[in-house]
Amino acid sequence: MATIKGALLEELVRAYFARQGFFVLRSVPYRFDEEDVTDLDVWFYSRQAASARIRAIVDVKNKRSPKAMERILWVKGIQVALNCDRAIIATTDNNPKVAHFAQSQKIQVLSKGFLERLEKKLSKDNRLTLEEFESTVQQYVAHKQDGDWLRIIGEAKSAVACMGGFPAFNRAMFAFRFFGERAEVRLQHRDIALRCALQAAALACISLDAGLERVVFEDGERRYSSIIDGINYGDDGDNRVLASIQSALAVLTEGLPNGRTVAAQAQDYFDQKIAGIRADIIAEHFSREHNAQHLFSVAKELDEAAHEHILSNTGLSVEARTVLGVFADFVGVKRTVLPMASVKIAIPAKNTAVRAIVPTDDKTDGTLSLENLDADLPISLSAEDEKNDLHVQKPLL
């Protein structure tokens, strides 16, 4: 276990839960009221059913003195603060009392022995690690002066874990629009901007899926209005923001000599600003359950796409491209900026050549050699079944 240090152990834990079918984030800032509190080593989310979601945190520590007992209390407190369903610690501490204490607190433990077996038998994902992703962003030397790209991604990640569904969605959409616009005008750094845009879109999918959890059994009209209100006011169904606005207008009406006129003007201006948000674009598409049910799977797909070593070889499903298109229309980003064209090919069982099926307006085809396609895990990890097909995108121009 001494060969795995800090970030690499976090990446191993991330890969493990990702193989189990969760949407997983590393190094998530925990913020409260715009103040930084701490960092979450690993945070993951899953849609178990139409009305069931799971949120969990993992505290990962690989030190000479991991202080596992102390970390159990720490992660328990974070679990309560974030209202997570599960809390886990991954520790190199071999003390049997650690497991007993963790059980008493209903905390799960990934032990040193388990992590060692995981290291040996879990194949490495063909994706950028968090450190590699951030290093890629930092290749744009002016990224900090140009809005601070890493900060924007960090704030979107934090919102997913720390805020309600719709406030987090609005934060992710801000990031998506920012990077979509940068992809259009920063041509030398378009690849980097597209990666960030895909990551922001993945976070938006998770946020929107979480926001829709409470209205899953409502009729279409109620779901539509919930999405409208959630996006316009950042509410999670409690109408607190709208109530605060109405209270402020009531104060204007009663507290000023010409209060009714001033309040009416304020209401008109506010209505104009709300109309400009175009929340109906999101509501029209995702108020339908057969569209909303794809949010979780699309989030995982976009997250993988953002972390591919070669972005131009990323293939997106029809569902993922549809979601990107809806998001682009919502924030006013050109669809042509995004990686949305794809070519579908069949996946063989072993290392063989396969022939691409290209669109009808393309005169050529070719063969692609795919290696190491049988990525089954040697140990039981409850991994998702591998898909039977793959989409390969045309290289970006």
Side-chain angles (χ1 to χ4, degrees):
M1 204 67 222
T3 60
I4 305 185
K5 301 297 182 182
L8 292 180
L9 182 57
E10 289 183 19
E11 188 63 26
L12 181 67
V13 172
R14 184 213 62 79
Y16 168 61
F17 285 107
R19 291 294 184 92
Q20 288 192 339
F22 294 99
F23 177 85
V24 191
L25 296 173
R26 276 188 55 207
S27 189
V28 179
Y30 175 26
R31 309 189 75 201
F32 180 80
D33 198 17
E34 302 303 321
E35 292 290 333
D36 292 329
V37 178
T38 186
D39 280 347
L40 311 176
D41 294 332
V42 177
W43 178 90
F44 62 83
Y45 175 98
S46 178
R47 174 187 171 119
Q48 298 294 301
S51 61
R53 310 292 188 273
I54 289 180
R55 299 165 181 83
I57 53 173
V58 187
D59 183 57
V60 182
K61 287 295 174 286
N62 183 19
K63 299 180 179 179
R64 290 184 180 276
S65 300
K67 298 181 179 179
M69 296 286 198
E70 178 182 317
R71 302 311 298 179
I72 290 171
L73 292 178
W74 183 89
V75 77
K76 183 66 176 181
I78 296 296
Q79 178 189 12
V80 172
L82 291 178
N83 195 27
C84 288
D85 303 288
R86 295 169 60 188
I88 304 166
I89 64 166
T91 179
T92 55
D93 194 327
N94 275 328
N95 189 343
K97 294 181 180 180
V98 170
H100 182 69
F101 182 56
Q103 290 174 1
S104 71
Q105 300 300 316
K106 298 182 179 179
I107 304 295
Q108 294 176 295
V109 178
L110 302 184
S111 65
K112 180 179 179 181
F114 177 81
L115 295 172
E116 288 176 341
R117 294 195 303 273
L118 200 62
E119 178 191 5
K120 296 175 181 177
K121 297 181 179 180
L122 183 64
S123 59
K124 185 179 184 299
D125 286 344
N126 184 28
R127 61 174 273 154
L128 299 175
T129 65
L130 173 64
E131 290 72 28
E132 291 169 337
F133 181 90
E134 293 179 345
S135 178
T136 299
V137 175
Q138 290 167 347
Q139 291 176 10
Y140 174 30
V141 294
H143 75 92
K144 195 171 186 65
Q145 292 75 17
D146 188 18
D148 199 341
W149 291 23
L150 290 177
R151 177 185 60 81
I152 291 174
I153 287 291
E155 289 179 348
K157 289 167 60 176
S158 176
V160 171
C162 305
M163 293 183 176
F166 287 111
F169 175 78
N170 289 341
R171 186 67 63 92
M173 280 291 94
F174 169 81
F176 180 74
R177 178 176 57 197
F178 176 87
F179 292 117
E181 292 172 348
R182 291 304 188 275
E184 184 177 1
V185 299
R186 304 285 189 269
L187 297 182
Q188 289 184 325
H189 307 289
R190 182 168 181 259
D191 180 277
I192 302 172
L194 285 177
R195 289 184 185 277
C196 293
L198 290 172
Q199 181 67 53
L203 297 171
C205 287
I206 293 298
S207 301
L208 188 55
D209 182 73
L212 291 173
E213 179 183 6
R214 63 181 177 80
V215 295
V216 66
F217 296 119
E218 302 287 349
D219 58 31
E221 184 177 347
R222 172 60 180 157
R223 288 165 61 87
Y224 183 93
S225 62
S226 295
I227 296 174
I228 292 289
D229 290 343
I231 294 175
N232 285 342
Y233 306 113
D235 278 337
D236 275 327
D238 51 15
N239 292 321
R240 284 188 301 175
V241 175
L242 184 58
S244 297
I245 294 171
Q246 296 300 331
S247 297
L249 293 175
V251 170
L252 290 176
T253 301
E254 299 172 3
L256 296 176
N258 58 341
R260 288 185 179 276
T261 302
V262 173
Q265 293 174 345
Q267 182 71 65
D268 290 342
Y269 178 77
F270 182 75
D271 291 341
Q272 292 176 11
K273 300 295 288 185
I274 289 295
I277 296 177
R278 302 192 299 174
D280 58 297
I281 294 176
I282 301 296
E284 181 66 29
H285 186 78
F286 292 106
S287 61
R288 301 181 177 92
E289 175 58 24
H290 67 269
N291 291 329
Q293 67 182 351
H294 297 298
L295 281 167
F296 178 68
S297 60
V298 167
K300 292 193 296 179
E301 183 178 351
L302 294 177
D303 178 68
E304 288 298 321
H307 291 83
E308 287 283 351
H309 283 285
I310 303 176
L311 184 62
S312 60
N313 287 340
T314 298
L316 296 179
S317 66
V318 173
E319 293 79 13
R321 285 179 283 146
T322 299
V323 169
L324 282 178
V326 173
F327 286 172
D329 294 343
F330 172 60
V331 300
V333 169
K334 293 180 180 179
R335 289 190 177 207
T336 53
V337 172
L338 304 172
M340 298 177 66
S342 68
V343 180
K344 189 174 182 180
I345 63 174
I347 292 288
K350 284 287 184 178
N351 178 26
T352 57
V354 295
R355 185 167 298 276
I357 304 172
V358 300
T360 55
D361 60 347
D362 206 326
K363 301 296 184 182
T364 62
D365 61 10
T367 59
L368 302 174
S369 179
L370 303 179
E371 298 181 354
N372 299 323
L373 295 173
D374 53 336
D376 294 337
L377 299 177
I379 59 177
S380 177
L381 299 178
S382 301
E384 290 185 310
D385 293 335
E386 296 291 338
K387 292 182 178 180
N388 293 324
D389 57 61
L390 173 70
H391 289 77
V392 177
Q393 181 193 333
K394 285 184 174 180
L396 299 174
L397 299 179

